Amino acid sequence: MGQKGAETRDRLLDATQELVETAGYFGTGLNQVIAVSGAPRGSLYFHFPGGKDQLVGESVRRAGRAIGDALGEPADTDASPAEFVDGVLRHLGDRLAESDWRKGCPVATVALETAAVNDPLQEVCSEVYSSWEAALRARLASRPDADDLAVTVLALVEGALLLARAHRSRDPLERVARQIHTLLG
Amino acid sequence: MGQKGAETRDRLLDATQELVETAGYFGTGLNQVIAVSGAPRGSLYFHFPGGKDQLVGESVRRAGRAIGDALGEPADTDASPAEFVDGVLRHLGDRLAESDWRKGCPVATVALETAAVNDPLQEVCSEVYSSWEAALRARLASRPDADDLAVTVLALVEGALLLARAHRSRDPLERVARQIHTLLG
DNA sequence: AAAACTGAATAGATCGGTCTACATATTTTT
DNA sequence: AAAAATATGTAGACCGATCTATTCAGTTTT
C-alpha cells in the first residue's frame, strides 16, 4: 500500500470513528463517511472490501487499542488505583464536554446496537472490552479479587459515561469519582 | 379513543420497545414495527402523528416508568440495599439470557445513539434516568452520601448490563454483584 | 350519523453496494 | 534510460432496496 493509499485509509477510519461515536453504527451512513473523510466511494470499497462492517470493525478495534494502550501504561509509582481511575474519569469528562457530548466510549454504542443482531461486530466489541479488562486487572494485581474488581471498575466507568452523555453533564462522572475510593480505597 | 384503538396503540408500543431494545433507534425501521405489531401503517401515524420520534419517545418513557415503579416499590423490611441491588442484577441477568442477549436496558441504546443528535429523545432518556436515580436515592436515604451513591449504583448496573450484552454472558453481572457489597456494605 | 380507525398507494430521500473508466505509481523488459 | 506492463488507487454514475412520512377514500366502532 502506497503512502497516499494509507492516508486515505486512515482518513476513512478517522471519519468513521468520529461519526460512529456520535450516532452509532446504524446512525452512521457511508455517505456521511465519504463526505467527512473526503475520500471517494470507490476508495472506501477498495480499502474495505468487506463494506460497512469491516470499516466499523477496524475503526472500533483501532480506538479500542488506543485506549487499551493508555490503560496499560506503566503506572506512576506513587499513584494508587483509585487515583488512576479518578484521572481517567476526569479525562473522559473533559473529552465529553469539549466534544459537546459526542465523544463518550467509542465502543459502547456499537456494542449495544450489534450485541444481538451482528455477530462479527459483537465479537469485535467483546474482544475490545476483554482487552481493557485485562489491562485493568494487571493494574489491580495486588488485590485478591482483581478479576471481579477490574470488571466492576470498567462497568462503573462505562455506566458513568452513559449517564453523562444521557444527561449532557459531567455530574455522573464526578459523583462516581467520589465513590470510587470506597471501592478501591 | 375506542377500545380497539387503544389496543392497536399498545401493540405498536410493545413492538417498538421490543425492537428498539434489540437494535436501537436507528436500527429499528417503522416497517419492522408495523410487521411485528400487525398494525396498519395508517394507524401508526394516526396514533403517533409525531412519527418515529414520538413512537420511540413514548415507548422509552413507558418502559422507564415500569422499571422506575419496580425500583420504588416499598422495600422488604429486612432486605439491605446491597441485597436489593443483588436481586436486581440477578433479575436482569435472567431477562438477558432468556431473551438471547436482546433485552438489556430499554433506554441505554437510545440514550447513546441520540445523546448528541436528537434533542427530544435525549431529553426523554435523561428524564427516565433521573427518575431511576430518584428512586434509588430514596432507597438509600439512610446514607449521608445517598445522592452520589444512587448515581453510582445506577452507573454500575448500566455498565454491567452493557458488558453482559457485549460479551453475551452473565459473567459481568455476577462479578459486579459480588463487589456491590463493598460499595453498599 | 359521527367519530375513530384502517389500508393501500405514493413521495422523495437515503441506504449499502457494484461497476467501469480513469489516473497514478511501481516494476519489468528492452 | 526509455518503454511497456502491471499494480495500486481514485472518481462518480448507477442499482435495487429501504427509509420516514403523507394522503385520503373506505371501513369499522361507538
Side-chain angles (χ1 to χ4, degrees):
Chain A
M1 179 157 50
Q3 183 176 340
K4 180 99 178 284
E7 279 169 17
T8 302
R9 198 175 201 281
D10 270 357
R11 288 211 324 272
L12 281 165
L13 287 173
D14 290 343
T16 301
Q17 184 180 336
E18 169 88 21
L19 290 164
V20 166
E21 199 161 349
T22 300
Y25 173 77
F26 293 115
T28 299
L30 297 187
N31 290 330
Q32 291 176 269
V33 172
I34 287 161
V36 169
S37 70
R41 207 172 190 72
S43 302
L44 193 160
Y45 282 96
F46 174 81
H47 291 291
F48 303 92
K52 190 180 188 182
D53 279 13
Q54 185 188 352
L55 180 64
V56 173
E58 287 199 28
S59 152
V60 167
R61 251 191 239 283
R62 200 186 59 159
R65 197 176 318 125
I67 294 180
D69 287 352
L71 291 179
E73 267 172 11
D76 286 1
T77 40
D78 50 348
S80 73
E83 285 166 336
F84 173 74
V85 175
D86 209 84
V88 168
L89 288 169
R90 202 169 17 249
H91 172 73
L92 289 172
D94 291 343
R95 201 175 98 100
L96 199 51
E98 280 165 14
S99 69
D100 236 336
W101 320 109
R102 288 186 301 108
K103 299 191 180 176
C105 171
V107 184
T109 316
V110 179
L112 288 177
E113 288 179 289
T114 66
V117 298
N118 186 321
D119 292 6
L121 282 178
Q122 177 271 333
E123 213 162 317
V124 168
C125 294
S126 175
E127 284 169 13
V128 170
Y129 280 133
S130 290
S131 75
W132 294 356
E133 286 160 19
L136 286 171
R137 195 169 22 219
R139 262 185 195 279
L140 296 162
S142 60
R143 306 298 211 89
D145 52 354
D147 276 28
D148 290 355
L149 216 44
V151 171
T152 301
V153 166
L154 181 56
L156 204 43
V157 172
E158 290 286 337
L161 267 181
L162 161 63
L163 294 179
R165 233 148 87 76
H167 289 310
R168 292 186 184 166
S169 160
R170 311 178 60 135
D171 181 79
L173 294 168
E174 290 165 359
R175 291 190 188 279
V176 165
R178 283 196 288 273
Q179 292 292 321
I180 203 81
H181 301 277
T182 307
L183 203 66
L184 298 178
Chain B
M1 180 158 50
Q3 185 177 336
K4 181 93 178 287
E7 280 170 15
T8 301
R9 198 176 200 280
D10 269 358
R11 288 209 324 272
L12 281 166
L13 287 173
D14 289 343
T16 302
Q17 184 180 333
E18 169 89 21
L19 291 164
V20 167
E21 200 161 349
T22 299
Y25 173 79
F26 294 115
T28 299
L30 296 186
N31 291 331
Q32 290 176 271
V33 172
I34 287 162
V36 169
S37 69
R41 191 170 211 77
S43 303
L44 194 160
Y45 285 97
F46 176 80
H47 291 292
F48 303 92
K52 190 179 189 182
D53 278 13
Q54 184 188 353
L55 180 64
V56 173
E58 286 198 30
S59 153
V60 167
R61 250 191 239 281
R62 201 186 57 158
R65 198 177 317 124
I67 293 179
D69 287 352
L71 291 179
E73 268 173 12
D76 286 2
T77 39
D78 50 348
S80 72
E83 285 167 337
F84 173 75
V85 175
D86 209 85
V88 168
L89 287 169
R90 202 168 18 249
H91 172 73
L92 290 173
D94 290 344
R95 201 175 97 100
L96 199 51
E98 281 164 14
S99 70
D100 236 336
W101 320 110
R102 286 186 300 108
K103 300 190 181 179
C105 172
V107 184
T109 316
V110 180
L112 289 177
E113 287 178 289
T114 64
V117 297
N118 186 321
D119 291 6
L121 282 178
Q122 176 271 333
E123 213 162 317
V124 168
C125 295
S126 174
E127 284 169 14
V128 170
Y129 279 134
S130 290
S131 75
W132 294 357
E133 287 160 19
L136 286 171
R137 196 177 319 134
R139 261 186 196 279
L140 296 163
S142 60
R143 305 298 210 86
D145 52 353
D147 277 29
D148 289 355
L149 215 46
V151 171
T152 300
V153 166
L154 181 56
L156 203 44
V157 172
E158 290 287 337
L161 267 180
L162 160 64
L163 293 180
R165 241 156 72 82
H167 289 310
R168 291 186 185 167
S169 161
R170 311 180 57 136
D171 181 78
L173 293 167
E174 290 166 358
R175 290 191 190 279
V176 165
R178 282 197 289 273
Q179 292 293 321
I180 202 81
H181 300 277
T182 306
L183 204 63
L184 298 178

